[in-house]
Short mmCIF file of all heavy atoms in Angstrom, two decimals:
data_model
loop_
_atom_site.label_atom_id
_atom_site.label_comp_id
_atom_site.label_asym_id
_atom_site.label_seq_id
_atom_site.Cartn_x
_atom_site.Cartn_y
_atom_site.Cartn_z
N MET A 21 11.67 19.48 12.30
CA MET A 21 10.59 18.79 12.89
C MET A 21 9.25 19.48 12.56
O MET A 21 8.27 18.83 12.30
CB MET A 21 10.80 18.68 14.39
CG MET A 21 9.63 18.04 15.18
SD MET A 21 10.16 17.90 16.87
CE MET A 21 8.67 17.28 17.59
N PHE A 22 9.25 20.82 12.63
CA PHE A 22 7.98 21.53 12.41
C PHE A 22 7.93 22.28 11.08
O PHE A 22 7.01 22.98 10.80
CB PHE A 22 7.61 22.53 13.56
CG PHE A 22 7.45 21.91 14.91
CD1 PHE A 22 8.48 21.91 15.88
CD2 PHE A 22 6.35 21.19 15.18
CE1 PHE A 22 8.37 21.35 17.14
CE2 PHE A 22 6.18 20.58 16.39
CZ PHE A 22 7.16 20.63 17.39
N GLY A 23 8.96 22.10 10.31
CA GLY A 23 9.04 22.63 8.96
C GLY A 23 8.08 22.00 7.96
O GLY A 23 7.35 20.98 8.32
N LYS A 24 8.10 22.56 6.77
CA LYS A 24 7.27 22.00 5.69
C LYS A 24 7.76 20.61 5.32
O LYS A 24 8.92 20.47 5.23
CB LYS A 24 7.31 22.94 4.50
CG LYS A 24 6.36 24.01 4.47
CD LYS A 24 6.42 24.67 3.13
CE LYS A 24 5.13 25.43 2.88
NZ LYS A 24 5.15 26.06 1.50
N LYS A 25 6.84 19.74 5.03
CA LYS A 25 7.17 18.39 4.62
C LYS A 25 7.22 18.37 3.07
O LYS A 25 6.43 18.91 2.41
CB LYS A 25 6.08 17.40 5.08
CG LYS A 25 6.31 17.07 6.52
CD LYS A 25 5.68 15.68 6.76
CE LYS A 25 6.14 15.22 8.21
NZ LYS A 25 6.15 13.82 8.38
N ASN A 26 8.25 17.74 2.61
CA ASN A 26 8.35 17.54 1.21
C ASN A 26 7.33 16.52 0.74
O ASN A 26 7.15 15.43 1.38
CB ASN A 26 9.86 17.04 0.93
CG ASN A 26 10.15 16.96 -0.56
OD1 ASN A 26 9.26 17.02 -1.44
ND2 ASN A 26 11.46 16.85 -0.87
N ASP A 27 6.73 16.68 -0.45
CA ASP A 27 5.77 15.68 -0.98
C ASP A 27 6.38 14.41 -1.24
O ASP A 27 5.82 13.33 -1.31
CB ASP A 27 5.08 16.20 -2.26
CG ASP A 27 4.00 17.33 -2.03
OD1 ASP A 27 3.52 17.28 -0.85
OD2 ASP A 27 3.77 18.09 -2.89
N ASN A 28 7.68 14.36 -1.47
CA ASN A 28 8.38 13.09 -1.68
C ASN A 28 8.63 12.28 -0.37
O ASN A 28 9.23 11.19 -0.51
CB ASN A 28 9.69 13.38 -2.39
CG ASN A 28 9.53 13.94 -3.75
OD1 ASN A 28 8.52 13.72 -4.39
ND2 ASN A 28 10.52 14.74 -4.16
N ASP A 29 8.29 12.86 0.77
CA ASP A 29 8.52 12.15 2.04
C ASP A 29 7.27 11.44 2.56
O ASP A 29 7.02 11.36 3.75
CB ASP A 29 8.97 13.24 3.08
CG ASP A 29 10.31 13.78 2.85
OD1 ASP A 29 11.07 13.19 2.15
OD2 ASP A 29 10.58 14.86 3.34
N LYS A 30 6.55 10.89 1.57
CA LYS A 30 5.29 10.23 2.03
C LYS A 30 5.56 8.87 2.66
O LYS A 30 6.54 8.14 2.18
CB LYS A 30 4.38 9.97 0.80
CG LYS A 30 3.89 11.27 0.17
CD LYS A 30 2.99 11.01 -1.00
CE LYS A 30 2.48 12.19 -1.60
NZ LYS A 30 1.61 11.99 -2.67
N ARG A 31 4.94 8.48 3.68
CA ARG A 31 5.13 7.18 4.40
C ARG A 31 4.68 6.06 3.50
O ARG A 31 5.27 4.98 3.38
CB ARG A 31 4.41 7.23 5.70
CG ARG A 31 4.41 5.90 6.47
CD ARG A 31 5.84 5.61 7.05
NE ARG A 31 5.90 4.33 7.64
CZ ARG A 31 5.96 4.01 8.93
NH1 ARG A 31 5.96 4.93 9.75
NH2 ARG A 31 6.00 2.79 9.33
N PHE A 32 3.48 6.23 2.81
CA PHE A 32 2.96 5.09 2.02
C PHE A 32 2.83 5.65 0.54
O PHE A 32 2.38 6.73 0.36
CB PHE A 32 1.56 4.64 2.52
CG PHE A 32 1.61 4.04 3.88
CD1 PHE A 32 1.46 4.79 5.03
CD2 PHE A 32 1.87 2.70 3.95
CE1 PHE A 32 1.60 4.24 6.30
CE2 PHE A 32 1.96 2.09 5.20
CZ PHE A 32 1.75 2.79 6.34
N VAL A 33 3.15 4.80 -0.39
CA VAL A 33 3.01 5.10 -1.76
C VAL A 33 2.19 3.99 -2.36
O VAL A 33 2.32 2.87 -2.06
CB VAL A 33 4.34 5.27 -2.53
CG1 VAL A 33 5.10 6.52 -1.98
CG2 VAL A 33 5.27 4.08 -2.38
N GLU A 34 1.43 4.38 -3.46
CA GLU A 34 0.60 3.45 -4.14
C GLU A 34 1.49 2.72 -5.27
O GLU A 34 2.01 3.40 -6.02
CB GLU A 34 -0.56 4.15 -4.83
CG GLU A 34 -1.59 4.66 -3.94
CD GLU A 34 -2.65 5.50 -4.56
OE1 GLU A 34 -2.48 5.74 -5.83
OE2 GLU A 34 -3.55 6.03 -3.92
N LYS A 35 1.54 1.35 -5.20
CA LYS A 35 2.22 0.58 -6.17
C LYS A 35 1.32 0.19 -7.21
O LYS A 35 1.70 0.06 -8.43
CB LYS A 35 2.95 -0.55 -5.46
CG LYS A 35 3.73 -1.40 -6.51
CD LYS A 35 4.89 -2.06 -5.81
CE LYS A 35 5.65 -2.77 -6.86
NZ LYS A 35 7.02 -2.46 -6.85
N SER A 36 0.07 -0.13 -6.86
CA SER A 36 -0.98 -0.62 -7.87
C SER A 36 -2.29 -0.18 -7.41
O SER A 36 -2.59 -0.26 -6.13
CB SER A 36 -0.80 -2.13 -7.97
OG SER A 36 -1.86 -2.66 -8.62
N VAL A 37 -3.21 0.16 -8.33
CA VAL A 37 -4.58 0.53 -8.05
C VAL A 37 -5.45 -0.14 -9.05
O VAL A 37 -5.16 -0.01 -10.21
CB VAL A 37 -4.78 2.08 -8.02
CG1 VAL A 37 -6.22 2.37 -7.72
CG2 VAL A 37 -3.97 2.79 -7.10
N GLN A 38 -6.41 -0.82 -8.53
CA GLN A 38 -7.42 -1.48 -9.48
C GLN A 38 -8.88 -1.11 -9.00
O GLN A 38 -9.10 -1.21 -7.82
CB GLN A 38 -7.30 -3.04 -9.50
CG GLN A 38 -6.07 -3.49 -10.14
CD GLN A 38 -6.02 -5.02 -10.23
OE1 GLN A 38 -6.93 -5.72 -9.93
NE2 GLN A 38 -4.85 -5.52 -10.57
N HIS A 39 -9.63 -0.57 -9.90
CA HIS A 39 -11.02 -0.28 -9.58
C HIS A 39 -11.97 -1.38 -10.04
O HIS A 39 -11.67 -2.08 -11.05
CB HIS A 39 -11.50 0.99 -10.34
CG HIS A 39 -10.65 2.21 -10.00
ND1 HIS A 39 -11.02 3.01 -8.89
CD2 HIS A 39 -9.48 2.70 -10.46
CE1 HIS A 39 -10.11 3.94 -8.79
NE2 HIS A 39 -9.17 3.79 -9.71
N TYR A 40 -12.95 -1.70 -9.26
CA TYR A 40 -13.98 -2.67 -9.65
C TYR A 40 -15.31 -1.99 -9.41
O TYR A 40 -15.41 -0.84 -9.00
CB TYR A 40 -13.77 -4.02 -8.93
CG TYR A 40 -13.80 -3.96 -7.50
CD1 TYR A 40 -15.02 -4.19 -6.83
CD2 TYR A 40 -12.70 -3.69 -6.72
CE1 TYR A 40 -15.04 -4.23 -5.39
CE2 TYR A 40 -12.70 -3.73 -5.34
CZ TYR A 40 -13.87 -3.99 -4.74
OH TYR A 40 -13.87 -3.98 -3.35
N GLN A 41 -16.39 -2.71 -9.73
CA GLN A 41 -17.77 -2.11 -9.71
C GLN A 41 -17.99 -1.14 -8.59
O GLN A 41 -18.46 -0.05 -8.79
CB GLN A 41 -18.79 -3.23 -9.78
CG GLN A 41 -20.14 -2.76 -10.04
CD GLN A 41 -21.10 -3.80 -10.19
OE1 GLN A 41 -20.80 -5.07 -10.09
NE2 GLN A 41 -22.40 -3.53 -10.55
N TYR A 42 -17.82 -1.60 -7.31
CA TYR A 42 -18.16 -0.78 -6.24
C TYR A 42 -17.00 -0.45 -5.25
O TYR A 42 -17.27 -0.26 -4.05
CB TYR A 42 -19.35 -1.27 -5.39
CG TYR A 42 -20.59 -1.31 -6.29
CD1 TYR A 42 -21.08 -2.56 -6.68
CD2 TYR A 42 -21.33 -0.21 -6.59
CE1 TYR A 42 -22.27 -2.69 -7.39
CE2 TYR A 42 -22.47 -0.28 -7.34
CZ TYR A 42 -22.95 -1.50 -7.76
OH TYR A 42 -24.00 -1.57 -8.47
N GLY A 43 -15.80 -0.46 -5.75
CA GLY A 43 -14.67 -0.30 -4.82
C GLY A 43 -13.29 -0.28 -5.52
O GLY A 43 -13.26 -0.11 -6.68
N MET A 44 -12.31 -0.43 -4.70
CA MET A 44 -10.96 -0.41 -5.16
C MET A 44 -10.01 -1.36 -4.33
O MET A 44 -10.33 -1.74 -3.23
CB MET A 44 -10.32 0.98 -4.91
CG MET A 44 -10.91 2.08 -5.71
SD MET A 44 -9.92 3.65 -5.59
CE MET A 44 -9.67 3.79 -3.84
N ILE A 45 -8.99 -1.86 -5.05
CA ILE A 45 -7.97 -2.70 -4.54
C ILE A 45 -6.66 -2.00 -4.67
O ILE A 45 -6.32 -1.67 -5.79
CB ILE A 45 -7.94 -4.05 -5.18
CG1 ILE A 45 -9.26 -4.79 -4.91
CG2 ILE A 45 -6.79 -4.91 -4.45
CD1 ILE A 45 -9.35 -6.14 -5.64
N LEU A 46 -5.89 -1.66 -3.66
CA LEU A 46 -4.58 -0.99 -3.70
C LEU A 46 -3.54 -1.85 -3.16
O LEU A 46 -3.79 -2.53 -2.16
CB LEU A 46 -4.61 0.39 -3.01
CG LEU A 46 -5.75 1.35 -3.45
CD1 LEU A 46 -6.98 1.21 -2.72
CD2 LEU A 46 -5.12 2.78 -3.31
N VAL A 47 -2.34 -1.74 -3.77
CA VAL A 47 -1.11 -2.30 -3.16
C VAL A 47 -0.33 -1.03 -2.73
O VAL A 47 0.02 -0.21 -3.54
CB VAL A 47 -0.35 -3.17 -4.02
CG1 VAL A 47 1.02 -3.59 -3.38
CG2 VAL A 47 -1.18 -4.47 -4.44
N LEU A 48 -0.12 -0.94 -1.35
CA LEU A 48 0.58 0.26 -0.79
C LEU A 48 1.98 -0.23 -0.38
O LEU A 48 2.11 -1.41 0.18
CB LEU A 48 -0.20 0.81 0.37
CG LEU A 48 -1.60 1.27 0.09
CD1 LEU A 48 -2.32 1.64 1.41
CD2 LEU A 48 -1.48 2.43 -0.88
N VAL A 49 2.95 0.55 -0.43
CA VAL A 49 4.36 0.28 0.06
C VAL A 49 4.65 1.22 1.21
O VAL A 49 4.57 2.49 0.96
CB VAL A 49 5.37 0.37 -1.05
CG1 VAL A 49 6.76 -0.02 -0.51
CG2 VAL A 49 4.99 -0.72 -2.20
N ASP A 50 5.00 0.74 2.33
CA ASP A 50 5.45 1.48 3.46
C ASP A 50 6.96 1.92 3.20
O ASP A 50 7.76 1.04 3.15
CB ASP A 50 5.35 0.77 4.75
CG ASP A 50 5.73 1.48 6.01
OD1 ASP A 50 6.45 2.55 5.86
OD2 ASP A 50 5.40 1.03 7.04
N THR A 51 7.20 3.17 2.92
CA THR A 51 8.57 3.54 2.59
C THR A 51 9.52 3.46 3.72
O THR A 51 10.73 3.47 3.46
CB THR A 51 8.50 5.05 2.04
OG1 THR A 51 8.03 5.93 3.02
CG2 THR A 51 7.71 5.18 0.78
N ALA A 52 9.07 3.42 4.93
CA ALA A 52 9.99 3.25 6.09
C ALA A 52 10.44 1.77 6.31
O ALA A 52 11.57 1.48 6.64
CB ALA A 52 9.32 3.72 7.40
N THR A 53 9.52 0.80 5.93
CA THR A 53 9.89 -0.63 6.12
C THR A 53 9.99 -1.38 4.86
O THR A 53 10.35 -2.60 4.90
CB THR A 53 8.89 -1.28 7.06
OG1 THR A 53 7.61 -1.21 6.42
CG2 THR A 53 8.69 -0.61 8.40
N ASN A 54 9.45 -0.83 3.76
CA ASN A 54 9.35 -1.45 2.43
C ASN A 54 8.43 -2.65 2.42
O ASN A 54 8.47 -3.48 1.46
CB ASN A 54 10.76 -1.87 1.86
CG ASN A 54 11.68 -0.68 1.62
OD1 ASN A 54 11.24 0.34 1.20
ND2 ASN A 54 12.92 -0.83 1.88
N VAL A 55 7.54 -2.76 3.39
CA VAL A 55 6.53 -3.87 3.46
C VAL A 55 5.37 -3.43 2.51
O VAL A 55 4.86 -2.33 2.53
CB VAL A 55 6.06 -4.09 4.83
CG1 VAL A 55 4.88 -5.03 4.89
CG2 VAL A 55 7.15 -4.58 5.72
N HIS A 56 4.88 -4.42 1.76
CA HIS A 56 3.61 -4.17 0.95
C HIS A 56 2.42 -4.47 1.67
O HIS A 56 2.38 -5.42 2.47
CB HIS A 56 3.78 -5.12 -0.29
CG HIS A 56 4.74 -4.73 -1.33
ND1 HIS A 56 4.58 -4.96 -2.61
CD2 HIS A 56 5.94 -4.15 -1.18
CE1 HIS A 56 5.59 -4.45 -3.30
NE2 HIS A 56 6.43 -4.00 -2.46
N TYR A 57 1.36 -3.72 1.50
CA TYR A 57 0.05 -3.89 2.17
C TYR A 57 -1.00 -3.97 1.00
O TYR A 57 -0.97 -3.27 0.07
CB TYR A 57 -0.27 -2.84 3.08
CG TYR A 57 0.60 -2.80 4.32
CD1 TYR A 57 1.81 -2.08 4.40
CD2 TYR A 57 0.32 -3.57 5.36
CE1 TYR A 57 2.67 -2.08 5.45
CE2 TYR A 57 1.21 -3.54 6.60
CZ TYR A 57 2.28 -2.79 6.52
OH TYR A 57 3.13 -2.83 7.69
N LEU A 58 -2.03 -4.86 1.22
CA LEU A 58 -3.23 -4.92 0.41
C LEU A 58 -4.26 -4.23 1.08
O LEU A 58 -4.71 -4.53 2.22
CB LEU A 58 -3.54 -6.40 0.16
CG LEU A 58 -4.71 -6.61 -0.83
CD1 LEU A 58 -4.34 -6.13 -2.20
CD2 LEU A 58 -5.13 -8.06 -0.72
N HIS A 59 -4.79 -3.08 0.43
CA HIS A 59 -5.87 -2.30 1.00
C HIS A 59 -7.05 -2.43 0.06
O HIS A 59 -6.94 -2.22 -1.18
CB HIS A 59 -5.40 -0.83 1.06
CG HIS A 59 -6.52 0.07 1.53
ND1 HIS A 59 -6.79 1.23 0.97
CD2 HIS A 59 -7.36 -0.01 2.56
CE1 HIS A 59 -7.71 1.87 1.56
NE2 HIS A 59 -8.18 1.06 2.53
N THR A 60 -8.21 -2.96 0.58
CA THR A 60 -9.43 -2.96 -0.20
C THR A 60 -10.41 -1.97 0.36
O THR A 60 -10.49 -1.79 1.57
CB THR A 60 -10.06 -4.34 -0.12
OG1 THR A 60 -10.33 -4.71 1.12
CG2 THR A 60 -9.04 -5.42 -0.79
N TRP A 61 -11.20 -1.37 -0.52
CA TRP A 61 -12.25 -0.46 -0.11
C TRP A 61 -13.48 -0.71 -0.95
O TRP A 61 -13.37 -0.95 -2.18
CB TRP A 61 -11.75 1.00 -0.48
CG TRP A 61 -12.76 2.07 -0.14
CD1 TRP A 61 -12.93 2.63 1.09
CD2 TRP A 61 -13.76 2.52 -0.99
NE1 TRP A 61 -13.96 3.48 0.97
CE2 TRP A 61 -14.49 3.39 -0.26
CE3 TRP A 61 -14.06 2.25 -2.24
CZ2 TRP A 61 -15.58 4.21 -0.81
CZ3 TRP A 61 -15.17 2.94 -2.85
CH2 TRP A 61 -15.86 3.81 -2.09
N SER A 62 -14.58 -0.76 -0.27
CA SER A 62 -15.89 -0.88 -0.94
C SER A 62 -16.90 -0.17 -0.16
O SER A 62 -16.69 0.35 0.94
CB SER A 62 -16.28 -2.36 -1.07
OG SER A 62 -16.61 -2.89 0.18
N ALA A 63 -18.15 -0.09 -0.60
CA ALA A 63 -19.27 0.51 0.01
C ALA A 63 -19.59 -0.21 1.39
O ALA A 63 -20.09 0.40 2.42
CB ALA A 63 -20.43 0.56 -0.81
N GLN A 64 -19.16 -1.50 1.54
CA GLN A 64 -19.48 -2.24 2.75
C GLN A 64 -18.38 -2.04 3.73
O GLN A 64 -18.52 -2.36 4.94
CB GLN A 64 -19.58 -3.77 2.46
CG GLN A 64 -20.75 -4.11 1.61
CD GLN A 64 -20.62 -3.85 0.18
OE1 GLN A 64 -19.48 -3.73 -0.35
NE2 GLN A 64 -21.71 -3.66 -0.53
N GLY A 65 -17.17 -1.59 3.39
CA GLY A 65 -16.13 -1.31 4.40
C GLY A 65 -14.79 -1.36 3.75
O GLY A 65 -14.66 -1.38 2.55
N THR A 66 -13.77 -1.38 4.62
CA THR A 66 -12.34 -1.37 4.15
C THR A 66 -11.49 -2.32 4.92
O THR A 66 -11.92 -2.65 6.07
CB THR A 66 -11.85 0.10 4.30
OG1 THR A 66 -10.60 0.25 3.74
CG2 THR A 66 -11.80 0.54 5.75
N SER A 67 -10.42 -2.69 4.36
CA SER A 67 -9.53 -3.58 5.12
C SER A 67 -8.08 -3.24 4.68
O SER A 67 -7.86 -2.82 3.55
CB SER A 67 -9.85 -5.09 4.83
OG SER A 67 -9.68 -5.37 3.53
N LEU A 68 -7.11 -3.60 5.52
CA LEU A 68 -5.69 -3.39 5.28
C LEU A 68 -5.01 -4.66 5.81
O LEU A 68 -5.22 -5.03 7.07
CB LEU A 68 -5.24 -2.19 5.94
CG LEU A 68 -3.73 -1.81 5.70
CD1 LEU A 68 -3.53 -1.49 4.25
CD2 LEU A 68 -3.31 -0.69 6.62
N THR A 69 -4.11 -5.29 5.14
CA THR A 69 -3.39 -6.49 5.57
C THR A 69 -2.04 -6.52 4.87
O THR A 69 -1.99 -6.06 3.81
CB THR A 69 -4.23 -7.73 5.36
OG1 THR A 69 -3.55 -8.82 5.93
CG2 THR A 69 -4.39 -8.14 3.84
N PRO A 70 -1.01 -7.06 5.52
CA PRO A 70 0.23 -7.20 4.83
C PRO A 70 0.02 -8.16 3.62
O PRO A 70 -0.72 -9.18 3.72
CB PRO A 70 1.11 -7.85 5.83
CG PRO A 70 0.55 -7.52 7.18
CD PRO A 70 -0.94 -7.49 6.95
N LEU A 71 0.64 -7.81 2.53
CA LEU A 71 0.63 -8.77 1.34
C LEU A 71 1.60 -9.92 1.53
O LEU A 71 2.71 -9.69 1.91
CB LEU A 71 0.94 -7.93 0.02
CG LEU A 71 0.70 -8.59 -1.28
CD1 LEU A 71 -0.72 -8.95 -1.49
CD2 LEU A 71 1.13 -7.61 -2.34
N LEU A 72 1.17 -11.10 1.22
CA LEU A 72 1.99 -12.33 1.41
C LEU A 72 2.28 -12.92 0.06
O LEU A 72 1.48 -12.88 -0.87
CB LEU A 72 1.14 -13.33 2.30
CG LEU A 72 0.72 -12.84 3.65
CD1 LEU A 72 0.00 -13.94 4.34
CD2 LEU A 72 1.91 -12.32 4.48
N ASP A 73 3.44 -13.57 -0.03
CA ASP A 73 3.90 -14.25 -1.27
C ASP A 73 3.33 -15.70 -1.14
O ASP A 73 2.53 -16.11 -0.31
CB ASP A 73 5.31 -14.15 -1.53
CG ASP A 73 6.19 -14.93 -0.40
OD1 ASP A 73 5.62 -15.73 0.40
OD2 ASP A 73 7.36 -14.68 -0.40
N GLU A 74 3.75 -16.47 -2.20
CA GLU A 74 3.21 -17.88 -2.27
C GLU A 74 3.67 -18.74 -1.14
O GLU A 74 3.12 -19.83 -0.87
CB GLU A 74 3.69 -18.47 -3.61
CG GLU A 74 5.14 -18.62 -3.75
CD GLU A 74 5.87 -17.42 -4.37
OE1 GLU A 74 5.18 -16.39 -4.58
OE2 GLU A 74 7.09 -17.47 -4.61
N ASN A 75 4.67 -18.36 -0.41
CA ASN A 75 5.20 -19.07 0.77
C ASN A 75 4.61 -18.61 2.15
O ASN A 75 4.99 -19.04 3.21
CB ASN A 75 6.71 -19.06 0.87
CG ASN A 75 7.40 -19.67 -0.40
OD1 ASN A 75 6.88 -20.69 -0.89
ND2 ASN A 75 8.40 -19.00 -0.95
N GLY A 76 3.80 -17.54 2.06
CA GLY A 76 3.23 -16.99 3.25
C GLY A 76 4.04 -15.95 3.90
O GLY A 76 3.81 -15.59 5.08
N ASP A 77 5.14 -15.60 3.18
CA ASP A 77 6.08 -14.53 3.77
C ASP A 77 5.62 -13.11 3.31
O ASP A 77 5.03 -12.93 2.25
CB ASP A 77 7.47 -14.71 3.21
CG ASP A 77 8.05 -16.09 3.74
OD1 ASP A 77 7.77 -16.53 4.86
OD2 ASP A 77 8.78 -16.73 2.98
N VAL A 78 5.78 -12.23 4.14
CA VAL A 78 5.38 -10.83 3.79
C VAL A 78 6.25 -10.36 2.63
O VAL A 78 7.49 -10.52 2.56
CB VAL A 78 5.67 -9.86 5.02
CG1 VAL A 78 5.40 -8.40 4.72
CG2 VAL A 78 4.79 -10.28 6.22
N VAL A 79 5.60 -9.65 1.65
CA VAL A 79 6.22 -9.07 0.52
C VAL A 79 7.02 -7.78 0.83
O VAL A 79 6.37 -6.95 1.48
CB VAL A 79 5.30 -8.85 -0.65
CG1 VAL A 79 5.96 -8.20 -1.83
CG2 VAL A 79 4.62 -10.17 -1.07
N ILE A 80 8.21 -7.74 0.55
CA ILE A 80 9.13 -6.60 0.98
C ILE A 80 9.71 -6.04 -0.28
O ILE A 80 10.32 -6.79 -1.13
CB ILE A 80 10.17 -6.91 1.97
CG1 ILE A 80 9.49 -7.44 3.27
CG2 ILE A 80 11.08 -5.69 2.24
CD1 ILE A 80 10.53 -7.84 4.33
N GLU A 81 9.55 -4.70 -0.43
CA GLU A 81 10.09 -4.08 -1.64
C GLU A 81 11.58 -4.20 -1.78
O GLU A 81 12.31 -3.92 -0.73
CB GLU A 81 9.68 -2.58 -1.67
CG GLU A 81 10.13 -1.76 -2.84
CD GLU A 81 9.24 -1.93 -4.11
OE1 GLU A 81 8.20 -2.67 -3.98
OE2 GLU A 81 9.65 -1.42 -5.13
N THR A 82 12.15 -4.51 -2.96
CA THR A 82 13.58 -4.65 -3.14
C THR A 82 13.82 -3.78 -4.37
O THR A 82 13.03 -3.33 -5.12
CB THR A 82 14.09 -6.11 -3.31
OG1 THR A 82 13.43 -6.61 -4.53
CG2 THR A 82 13.75 -6.92 -2.11
N ASP A 83 15.09 -3.52 -4.62
CA ASP A 83 15.48 -2.75 -5.79
C ASP A 83 15.04 -3.35 -7.14
O ASP A 83 14.87 -2.70 -8.10
CB ASP A 83 16.99 -2.47 -5.81
CG ASP A 83 17.41 -1.56 -4.66
OD1 ASP A 83 16.57 -0.77 -4.19
OD2 ASP A 83 18.56 -1.61 -4.31
N SER A 84 14.88 -4.71 -7.17
CA SER A 84 14.61 -5.39 -8.39
C SER A 84 13.10 -5.42 -8.70
O SER A 84 12.76 -5.82 -9.73
CB SER A 84 15.14 -6.74 -8.37
OG SER A 84 14.55 -7.48 -7.33
N ASN A 85 12.29 -4.99 -7.67
CA ASN A 85 10.81 -5.02 -7.96
C ASN A 85 10.39 -3.82 -8.78
O ASN A 85 10.62 -2.75 -8.59
CB ASN A 85 10.06 -4.98 -6.63
CG ASN A 85 9.99 -6.38 -6.04
OD1 ASN A 85 10.36 -7.36 -6.63
ND2 ASN A 85 9.61 -6.48 -4.72
#
């Protein structure tokens, strides 16, 4: 519980990162739930939302992704 954490035990990992003129778009994967999140960052602010597929369902990481 209070020991050193392994770097491989991260809760969120970056699946994709794209830079644009004044910000970034990241796809993060929650390693505990395998849910994908879309995180945008710019000088005006930031947002985080679950990533949805074409049917409106939350994207969940599977072994085939």
Side-chain angles (χ1 to χ4, degrees):
M21 179 174 174
F22 296 107
K24 273 188 157 180
K25 284 203 168 208
N26 187 347
D27 284 339
N28 295 332
D29 293 339
K30 294 180 181 180
R31 174 71 187 254
F32 294 93
V33 293
E34 296 174 351
K35 181 150 182 129
S36 171
V37 178
Q38 293 182 7
H39 297 271
Y40 59 95
Q41 190 173 5
Y42 297 108
M44 292 188 314
I45 299 172
L46 299 92
V47 174
L48 303 172
V49 178
D50 181 342
T51 59
T53 63
N54 293 327
V55 172
H56 287 211
Y57 292 91
L58 183 66
H59 177 225
T60 59
W61 177 90
S62 70
Q64 291 80 22
T66 186
S67 66
L68 180 69
T69 187
L71 188 62
L72 305 178
D73 66 12
E74 64 274 3
N75 298 319
D77 297 323
V78 176
V79 176
I80 298 176
E81 182 77 8
T82 61
D83 292 337
S84 62
N85 281 348

